[in-house]
Amino acid sequence: MTNKKKRELFKAPAPIIETHCHLDYLKELSTEEIINKSKDLNIQKIVTISVEPKNLDTAYSLAQTHENVYCTQGVHPHEAKFWDEATALKIQERAKENKVVAIGEIGLDFHYNHSPKDKQIEVFEKQLKLAIKYEKPVVIHSRDADEDTINVLKKYSSQLSHKGVIHSFTSGKELAKFALREGFYLGFNGIITFKSAENVRKILEITPIEKILIETDAPFLTPVPYRGRENAPFYLPFVAERIAQEKGYELESFINITTQNAIDLFKF
């Protein structure tokens, strides 16, 4: 493709799955416009991720009202301080449903510490227990918390029947190797296109293609050449293209493999 064509949105050469975005946070277009535009570019399914008690309902509603949208239910470490029994009960009740494909986004973030570290660990462990009980995979966020993430997962990983994914992977090699040994997937997004992201490309290099998931994390982390704009699922082909290049795969073949990875994990 020429540089000019790369500036244009393009249709993925095979059905592709958006494994991590936040549809209810996107503002530039309506949800219907985003879903339709994504579908036109061969984004077959979209997983919209819940992160806080107040958007559990919106993520769930989007999955219930759109055939090709699925959701997770969970509380992000930033919001761990808002965890309560009502939230736990809501996640527990919905975990049984087919369109709720994972417990997440859960984990640890010691970069911002919007919630106390001890509370983050407590809520992370509670949600891992729910995933174990209801046999769901987990969608994990980990930032500046590699050691503690490993320590928590060591306690629960063997009990997770479907493991999960550490999404938007920007952590170190030790966490990557641990996660891969345990059977987790690693999620990569638009960061892979950033000039400054050599650390992420080094992790990608050691990640088997059978353990790669692709995502946008929209509205965040828009890939080059649209960096600076609000991200959306219809930019996913740019992420796939760059990762395929880095891994030495023809794009269609790469998409076929990573789409199957997503199906294997989320049981669509």
Side-chain angles (χ1 to χ4, degrees), residues 94-262:
R94 292 174 178 171
K96 307 166 190 175
E97 300 191 26
N98 290 335
K99 292 211 81 180
V100 176
V101 296
I103 303 299
E105 180 175 348
I106 67 177
L108 304 174
D109 192 313
F110 297 162
H111 182 79
Y112 291 109
N113 281 319
H114 290 326
S115 289
K117 289 184 179 181
D118 289 350
K119 188 66 175 177
Q120 290 187 44
I121 292 171
E122 174 196 339
V123 173
F124 187 18
E125 292 191 344
K126 285 183 175 180
Q127 293 182 96
L128 285 167
K129 289 175 183 176
L130 287 177
I132 290 164
K133 182 176 181 179
Y134 293 101
E135 299 185 330
K136 294 285 186 179
V138 288
V139 175
I140 295 173
H141 171 107
S142 181
R143 187 170 185 187
D144 292 350
D146 292 21
E147 184 178 351
D148 287 274
T149 299
I150 290 170
N151 288 338
V152 170
L153 289 178
K154 279 181 177 177
K155 295 165 62 176
Y156 298 100
S157 176
S158 65
Q159 302 171 65
L160 285 165
S161 58
H162 300 296
K163 304 299 181 182
V165 56
I166 301 183
H167 103 98
S168 189
F169 198 93
T170 57
S171 298
K173 192 172 285 188
E174 185 180 356
L175 177 55
K177 288 183 174 179
F178 169 81
L180 292 169
R181 282 198 307 270
E182 291 294 308
F184 287 86
Y185 293 83
L186 303 186
F188 297 94
N189 51 40
I191 292 175
I192 204 72
T193 69
F194 300 173
K195 286 182 179 179
S196 61
E198 194 56 37
N199 62 316
V200 178
R201 287 186 282 275
K202 286 182 178 179
I203 297 299
L204 178 65
E205 190 177 325
I206 66 168
T207 306
I209 191 171
E210 293 80 14
K211 286 299 176 183
I212 291 173
L213 292 186
I214 54 175
E215 59 173 73
T216 64
D217 202 16
F220 315 107
L221 305 173
T222 312
V224 174
Y226 288 89
R227 196 173 180 187
R229 297 185 60 171
E230 180 179 86
N231 204 359
F234 47 75
Y235 292 128
L236 190 61
F238 290 102
V239 176
E241 179 183 57
R242 180 57 185 271
I243 299 175
Q245 289 171 354
E246 293 288 335
K247 295 297 285 183
Y249 278 81
E250 184 268 336
L251 181 56
E252 184 174 0
S253 175
F254 173 80
I255 289 174
N256 285 333
I257 294 169
T258 52
T259 293
Q260 188 60 50
N261 292 346

Side-chain angles (χ1 to χ4, degrees), residues 11-12 16 32-46 66-69 233-234:
K11 185 175 182 178
I16 192 169
E32 294 295 333
E33 288 173 311
I34 293 165
I35 291 171
N36 290 334
K37 193 171 182 178
S38 299
K39 192 179 295 184
D40 288 343
L41 297 178
N42 220 1
I43 288 82
Q44 183 183 56
K45 293 181 173 69
I46 296 172
H66 296 87
E67 183 181 0
N68 68 325
V69 176
F234 47 75

Side-chain angles (χ1 to χ4, degrees), residues 51-110:
V51 292
E52 53 186 327
K54 66 182 181 182
N55 93 313
L56 290 172
D57 291 346
T58 50
Y60 179 75
S61 178
L62 285 165
Q64 296 302 309
T65 55
H66 296 87
E67 183 181 0
N68 68 325
V69 176
Y70 299 76
C71 75
T72 67
Q73 294 282 279
V75 174
H76 190 285
H78 286 344
E79 313 298 326
K81 60 192 173 187
F82 300 117
W83 178 268
D84 58 19
E85 286 307 309
T87 299
L89 183 60
K90 187 173 287 188
I91 295 171
Q92 182 173 312
E93 289 175 344
R94 292 174 178 171
K96 307 166 190 175
E97 300 191 26
N98 290 335
K99 292 211 81 180
V100 176
V101 296
I103 303 299
E105 180 175 348
I106 67 177
L108 304 174
D109 192 313
F110 297 162

